[in-house]
Amino acid sequence: MLKRLLIALPVVFVAWIGVLALVMRLGGDAPAAFVPFPPTDLVGQLPSDIAITGRSPISLTLGSETENLPAQLYAAGAWLVLPAGLEACIPNFLRETP
């Protein structure tokens, strides 16, 4: 049983990431994009209408009003673009209240 679980967990994780990337690539409506492990020159390649809304040593979160954000990020050199900033992704107790 444990062996099956240890095999299934990475498969489920990779499939989940694949579905998120596919949805984002096919026009998923997300307010921002998350790029894990961005290339070092990605920021320099970004069009001027894309803003960096978050940054860590291993990721970038980017936002833009443009409709083709994922395509622009892939063209700039991102290897994986995932949706970010979706309300359902943040638990209610973590959201700021006015």
Side-chain angles (χ1 to χ4, degrees):
M1 171 89 173
L2 181 61
K3 183 178 177 182
R4 286 184 189 171
L5 181 63
L6 292 175
I7 292 170
L9 285 178
V11 170
V12 168
F13 179 74
V14 169
W16 174 63
I17 295 295
V19 167
L20 287 175
L22 185 62
V23 165
M24 189 72 172
R25 181 71 170 162
L26 295 177
D29 189 24
F34 175 79
V35 178
F37 307 105
T40 55
D41 62 342
L42 179 67
V43 172
Q45 301 294 323
L46 292 175
S48 61
D49 62 339
I50 296 178
I52 298 172
T53 60
R55 176 182 265 178
S56 81
I58 61 168
S59 69
L60 282 175
T61 304
L62 306 145
S64 177
E65 294 296 320
T66 184
E67 291 185 20
N68 58 354
L69 178 60
Q72 288 185 7
L73 294 176
Y74 282 120
W79 69 278
L80 180 63
V81 179
L82 301 173
L86 300 171
E87 285 204 24
C89 294
I90 303 170
N92 284 331
F93 64 87
L94 293 177
R95 289 193 195 124
E96 288 185 32
T97 55

